[in-house]
Amino acid sequence: MSIPQLGIGTFRLQGEVVIDSVRNGLEAGYRVIDTAQIYGNEAEVGAAIAASGMPRSELFITTKIWIANLSQEKLIPSLKESLAKLRTDYVDLTLIHWPSPGGEVPVAEFMAALAEAKVQGLTRQIGVSNFTVDLMQQAIDAVGAPAIATNQIELHPYLQNRKVVAFAREHGIHITSYMTLAYGKVLGDAVIQQIAARHDATPAQVVLAWAMQLGYAVIPSSTKRANLDSNLKALDLTLSDDDMAQIATLERNERLTSPDGLAPAWD
């Protein structure tokens, strides 16, 4: 299996808002939905999918294990709860959302539990999120690089995370970019806007196309149908080598997600 290029994220979307977003996304043609235990919206995502009548086999659903559920005793039971909320027998991808703060639960312990969840058929693929090079190495030591489908990390033109990307690529681990639009900050960038004008595209389409052209999966969220439709068109946009080189110069190590007590020592 592989990680699809473009999906819809559901971070910070709650209640009817997330139901509408997932419904609109499925109607627009999305088949990849990314959620997490801590988002508190798995039940609503499940309801929206069920209401859509979409065959389960056509969907790619990702959820993430929260830090409170990383221990060997809690991980699989918590994933089963997630499956019940999502109204499915399995998810396509389960990620460790954040490494255990202070190493309270060893990487080897939660990766082994996650691998066991795959053996039990609860998830088709497993992976990690917000992992540094050191943490990825620990995960590889625990279950082997081929078992790790992706590392989902903050990655956008202002934080290109090249050290983590290079290590992941060296070990065949796919990169999924979250916050690809940097909460919309990069959309006002002059370089992005100039490239968009040249291609008769939106700034969001340019940034999403840039990430996908580099081989990353992207999961932008939107509550507006027009934006969901527009983001899909990034799949049809091809940037030139010059465009890509210009965006490469925008790197400034501007990290937007680094929660106190949760974030590891970033590379």
Side-chain angles (χ1 to χ4, degrees):
M1 292 185 70
S2 60
I3 307 297
Q5 273 193 300
L6 178 61
I8 48 174
T10 61
F11 177 54
R12 291 185 169 173
L13 305 186
Q14 300 285 322
E16 285 299 323
V17 174
V18 75
I19 290 173
D20 289 345
S21 178
V22 172
R23 184 187 69 245
N24 285 330
L26 292 172
E27 288 176 359
Y30 290 87
R31 295 296 179 264
V32 181
I33 302 160
D34 181 280
T35 184
Q37 293 176 342
I38 196 63
Y39 294 174
N41 62 15
E42 288 174 316
E44 288 80 6
V45 169
I49 291 170
S52 75
M54 196 69 62
R56 177 66 183 89
S57 59
E58 291 185 18
L59 300 175
F60 189 101
I61 304 171
T62 299
T63 196
K64 310 180 197 80
I65 305 293
W66 186 239
I67 58 169
N69 300 322
L70 291 179
S71 69
Q72 186 177 0
E73 305 80 47
K74 292 182 178 179
L75 191 147
I76 286 176
S78 80
L79 179 55
K80 288 179 177 176
E81 285 183 26
S82 292
L83 296 181
K85 291 175 182 175
L86 289 163
R87 307 189 194 187
T88 182
D89 296 330
Y90 68 94
V91 284
D92 298 275
L93 177 63
T94 304
L95 306 179
I96 299 299
H97 201 156
W98 288 87
S100 186
E104 183 182 341
V105 181
V107 173
E109 179 177 334
F110 60 66
M111 290 307 298
L114 195 58
E116 175 58 26
K118 182 179 177 182
V119 169
Q120 292 185 19
L122 305 176
T123 183
R124 294 276 178 89
Q125 299 185 87
I126 63 172
V128 296
S129 180
N130 299 301
F131 270 42
T132 59
V133 167
D134 175 62
L135 288 161
M136 278 193 288
Q137 184 62 63
Q138 291 183 53
I140 289 167
D141 291 344
V143 296
I148 303 169
T150 194
N151 185 8
Q152 186 179 122
I153 55 175
E154 179 183 346
L155 192 152
H156 46 76
Y158 294 162
L159 179 72
Q160 299 187 24
N161 233 323
R162 289 174 179 144
K163 187 176 178 183
V164 168
V165 168
F167 182 88
R169 282 198 166 138
E170 183 185 335
H171 293 85
I173 298 171
H174 199 73
I175 290 291
T176 301
S177 157
Y178 74 76
M179 219 176 288
T180 316
L181 306 179
Y183 287 138
K185 288 184 74 169
V186 296
L187 303 184
D189 190 277
V191 169
I192 300 294
Q193 293 191 338
Q194 287 162 14
I195 294 170
R198 283 202 296 275
H199 289 275
D200 193 23
T202 67
Q205 287 165 358
V206 167
V207 177
L208 295 172
W210 162 79
M212 289 189 285
Q213 226 163 291
L214 287 172
Y216 312 144
V218 293
I219 44 169
S221 63
S222 181
T223 57
K224 297 177 181 174
R225 175 62 188 264
N227 289 345
L228 288 164
D229 289 339
S230 179
N231 288 347
L232 266 182
K233 293 176 183 171
L235 288 164
D236 302 319
L237 176 59
T238 302
L239 302 180
S240 69
D241 290 346
D242 185 52
D243 295 333
M244 297 295 285
Q246 285 186 41
I247 298 173
T249 68
L250 299 179
E251 164 65 44
R252 57 196 199 196
N253 199 33
E254 185 175 338
R255 189 177 296 278
L256 302 177
T257 303
S258 189
D260 288 343
L262 196 57
W266 301 114
D267 292 302

